[in-house]
Amino acid sequence: MHKKFYITTPIYYVNDVPHIGHAYTTIAADVLARYHRLLGHDVFFLTGTDEHGQKVEKAALERGLTPKAHADLLTVNFQKLWKKLEITNDAFIRTTDREHISVVQELLQKLYDKGEIERRTYEGWYCTPDERFWTEKEIVDNKCPDCGRPVERITEDNYFFLMSRYQDRLIRHIEDHPGYIRPESRRNEVLGFLKSQKLGDLCISRPKARLSWGIELPFDRDFVTYVWFDALVNYLSATRYLSPAAKGSSEPSKREAFWWPADHHLVGKDILTTHSVYWSTMLMALGLPLPGNIFAHGWWTRDGKKMSKSIGNVIDPNEVADAHGVDSFRYFVLREVPFGLDGDFSIETFTTRFNTELANDLGNLLSRVLTMIGKYFDGRIPPPHLVTDENAHPIDLKLRMKASAIPSAIAEELGSLSFSKYLQEVWTLVSLANRYVEENAPWTLAKNKDLDRLGAVLYTLSESLRLIALYLYPVMPSTSQKIWDALGIDKKIAACRMDTEQPWGKLAIGAVIQPGAQLFPRIDKQKNRETKMDMPAEEKKQPAPQPAMTGHEPIGIEDFMKVDLRVGKIISAERVEKSEKLVKLKVDIGTEIPRQVVAGIGKSYTPEELIGKSIVIVANLKPAKLMGIESQGMLLAASNGDLLAVATFDRETKPGSRVK
Ligand code: ME8
């Protein structure tokens, strides 16, 4: 028996270009679709564009185009963006599709024939420029509450869907199905509203005299369908003509039955009512099953402010992805805010997460492991030197157990759409692997020629990285594939199954690693304040500003205490390419992440003799770039002409201890 998984995003209005809100829902849906494919489920992931109605007609008019020509142009922006963001939607619906139109008309006719739609005379206050009705209570001094222009009293005939009939049934459905509307707070809002107010009927037509850009009512050619009635039907109509063939049957008629109802409708909080009330009652009237879940996510602000075109602070997902990569954008939006709450986007928070979580925690872990395999094992995955769990090293077992526990944690977190918690779960493994490096000090094992243990340690780390990539694949598909490629795994994750890949020990011994470029080159926060090493030659020539007088004028203790001197233990050292002097060091100063320090001591020391030394680090120096590499501190050394002497300690000292 195949398990099917059907997920949708809202269909986006083609009145404007895509922004971060559109990208957010679509990325979230893509993560779930990819995850369910990894589980071996039959997946149908649908997105598309909403092309009828007043908003689109108005936008087209402003550009001097017919609504259809305008829609044809703007829908491409969405399709292109989804391609760039590696969205794997199985179909893209446009409400101007002939097949969709015919399903909308069929359903309207069905409801009309069943007596669920009625013609009524409607009287209300109408704002002509805004083209919408207001109630007596809403208008202010006979003016439109939205634009402030005078409203007129209009009486016109329209068709109404008798939604009020379903109020009690809807309340019961929401109460009986706690997962129907999520998150909990939104569910309570909808229930509160349904229980405290009488539900009205829904006007589902617009006279053609007022709006012609819509689907004609099949039972009255003078009217078009209200845009929301048309749009919501997309979730159902797509199953008939855009879904993958139903498993075990090639008959198109079986498709709707196979795919419907959807498992999740992901929507933004502002369109929850249309989905939870209009759509649910429409389905009830049609005698169709309701979707499994409607999830309303929060809204993004930028630097604490609402995004708006007039302020010009709308985030273009294209720009962020072009500047810093698709995967980091996908990661950020899902990691930063629990799905369901509002979130804020700022370059500062993006950069911090990028540099610490992606560049340091994950990117450095991979490059360290690959460098050591290259150096100590000729670039081949070494054997783990373990036979059973019994003779495994306890710290190896701890890492293995954590790695094996992640799939069930992911199932739980993604089951409740807790994307941020899911990523945090995977990051506990990333952090544990980083700690494992420090605890095992492979460089010391190498120095002591303990190649068996060194092999076991590097195998354990490579295998952890293989699993980290597998677990991160739904969010960061390219990065994950790059990690597998680098580990010499000759498989496409997209074609793999979680259950066959998740067992520990699947990494092939002897596989040749393929180190590539850094996964996440750090974003330089102070690009404009780079050190002279990175400056153009012209600027380099200028005389350096003279340092303040030192050694002559006495300073107070408070000045000296401003300098944070720490004991640092060098855990790795390598020469900086194309430089005689510079050596890149990783220095343990007692923090979880070691410091990277670039020091000009390459003429006086070989990297090998530096490893293991305890030195003095200026820990609160502003980071600077040397030959394009960030240095996060400085070591103390004395110069004897050309030969430098690094300050060390004459007794064992703990990394991170203050030097004063
Ligand atoms: O509403 N942050 O389309 P749409 C997060 N066509 N999400 C945001 C946002 C923000 N700042 N601004 C907007 C429509 N959104 C209809 C849907 S479905 C049958 C029809 C979200 O293009 C908003 O919450 O105006 C909504 O989910 C989505 O963008 C599409 O908005």
Side-chain angles (χ1 to χ4, degrees), residues 11-13 19 21-22 50 228 235 268 270-271 299-300 307:
I11 48 171
Y12 307 114
Y13 283 129
H19 56 62
H22 301 124
D50 190 353
W228 271 102
Y235 302 133
D270 58 319
I271 56 172
W299 268 36
W300 286 92
M307 284 185 291

Side-chain angles (χ1 to χ4, degrees), residues 50 53 61 92 204 211 285 305 321 332 377 418 452 476 489 605 633:
D50 190 353
L61 216 69
F92 190 98
I204 51 124
L211 173 76
K305 290 196 196 82
F332 178 81
F377 292 97
S418 306
D452 280 3
M476 299 203 279
I489 305 169
Y605 293 90

Side-chain angles (χ1 to χ4, degrees), residues 9-15 19-22 24-25 49-50 55 78 227-228 230-235 266-271 274-275 297-301 306-307:
T9 73
I11 48 171
Y12 307 114
Y13 283 129
V14 283
N15 57 342
H19 56 62
I20 189 173
H22 301 124
Y24 186 43
T25 335
T49 40
D50 190 353
K55 282 191 190 188
F78 288 91
V227 67
W228 271 102
D230 159 3
L232 290 161
V233 169
N234 92 88
Y235 302 133
L266 304 191
V267 300
K269 62 181 182 181
D270 58 319
I271 56 172
T274 48
H275 283 78
H297 65 69
W299 268 36
W300 286 92
T301 49
K306 198 170 175 237
M307 284 185 291

